[in-house]
Amino acid sequence: MSDNGKQRLPIEHRGAQLEDRFGRVARKLRISVTDRCNFRCNFCMPSNPVWLPKSEILTYEEIARVTEILAGMGVTKVRLSGGEPLMRRDIDKLVSMLRQIPEITTIAMTTNGFHLPEMAERLKGAGLDSVTVSLHSLKPERFDGIVGRQGVFKRVIEGLRIAQKVGLNPVKVNVVVVRGCNDDEILEFAKLARKTNLTVRFVEYMPFDGRKFWQPELLVSGDEILRAIESVYPLVPLAREQGSTAQVYRFADGVGGNIGVITSMSSPFCKDCDRIRITADGKIVPCMFSRDEYDVKVLLRSGASDEEIAAFIRQAFWNKFAGVETLLREQKVISHVRPMYKLGG
Ligand code: SF4
């Protein structure tokens, strides 16, 4: 046991898959490729964001190197996010670099969809598999109000259509449900899933907002969302994939796409969490509800070997926090950790 209470990695774990002290294994890497965004969503961005200096942002080569090292330790799925990943120039180049890593089976992206109309085909061509678009209202003016930009709703909807057209699959929609803001649209979003083959996922509001609006009273739980939908459209739960964040349902009458709920606050899924994150400026973040972060950029830029970087990441992941589930069980106060645009979800 080292002096800061963190545990030394047992010898038998070196060289094996990436595992934490609770026996959870990392399979999914979430990469925030930039902290910048062209939107100002009120439950994410502070009013006046201060961007990271460009020199602090990992290059595509550095991102690809870390991904390759993690792939060597069992990571197979990558999700690109931000800020807004499509704000990063030539992001399709990074997609094709990651596509070269044989162990990586899936490359997905979470985006606000604004640049998808012109980028979807290039991304698909570079090897992107699927895309999730954040769409927090189906009312154009309300949408503009939430994202802090005028007249952008149509482009995001067009982005969704083009993403489906070019064959990205699945194409999902994420909607963060906030009481008194958009919880009156739950049925409309269910209708969207029925009309299209989109998977619409309702995300519980989490305390990762730059303006610190988050209060427990604003949370609409997954159960509440499902009850609202089931009052009109009966649902059938689908088997939950190991490590999945969403519990997914199909409509009992077989119409349309699926519905998902991501219940980090009311029914967390930490027991089999298989995620590890890296921020745009090269911090390894094992758990998004913990302040623990480990700077791998220093190693990348000081000539460290892949073995040294792998050992560093292993030690960091070994000490992954148990998760929000523990905070809720111990009735600990859930406080703001860092704004979502600094982590990318
Ligand atoms: S709170 Fe942490 S451990 Fe729990 S699911 Fe989220 S990232 Fe994983």
Side-chain angles (χ1 to χ4, degrees), residues 24 269-270 273 275 277 287-289 320-324:
R24 297 173 298 186
F269 28 80
C270 303
C273 176
R275 288 167 293 286
R277 294 170 175 83
C287 169
M288 68 188 296
F289 272 88
K320 176 169 177 163
F321 175 53
V324 66

Side-chain angles (χ1 to χ4, degrees), residues 242-258:
Q242 171 90 14
S244 171
T245 55
Q247 174 57 55
V248 182
Y249 300 76
R250 67 172 175 79
F251 290 100
D253 60 6
V255 170
N258 294 332

Side-chain angles (χ1 to χ4, degrees), residues 56-155:
E56 291 301 308
I57 303 278
L58 292 187
T59 65
Y60 288 162
E61 289 70 22
E62 289 169 334
I63 294 173
R65 185 177 173 204
V66 172
T67 307
E68 194 145 7
I69 291 168
L70 282 161
M73 298 192 273
V75 165
T76 57
K77 295 187 174 181
V78 166
R79 177 168 292 278
L80 302 175
S81 64
E84 169 48 40
L86 298 181
M87 293 286 288
R88 185 100 191 239
R89 196 189 301 275
D90 299 331
I91 185 80
D92 51 314
K93 284 208 180 87
L94 174 63
V95 173
S96 39
M97 288 163 79
L98 299 177
R99 195 79 273 175
Q100 307 311 312
I101 304 172
E103 298 91 345
I104 298 297
T105 56
T106 309
I107 304 176
M109 179 182 283
T110 300
T111 166
N112 65 25
F114 184 84
H115 290 296
L116 263 186
E118 72 269 16
M119 286 291 295
E121 188 132 28
R122 262 169 66 190
L123 292 166
K124 174 69 181 166
L128 189 72
D129 296 296
S130 73
V131 70
T132 300
V133 175
S134 305
L135 180 68
H136 306 299
S137 177
L138 294 171
K139 301 173 190 279
E141 275 158 35
R142 180 186 280 178
F143 182 78
D144 291 352
I146 292 172
V147 305
R149 288 285 179 266
Q150 295 308 308
V152 292
F153 180 76
K154 276 209 181 96
R155 255 186 92 98

Side-chain angles (χ1 to χ4, degrees), residues 58 89 100 113 120 158 176 188 206 208 264 295 309 326-327:
L58 292 187
R89 196 189 301 275
Q100 307 311 312
E158 178 63 2
V176 176
E188 288 313 308
M206 293 182 278
F208 295 110
S264 307
D295 189 346
I309 293 170
T326 305
L327 294 176

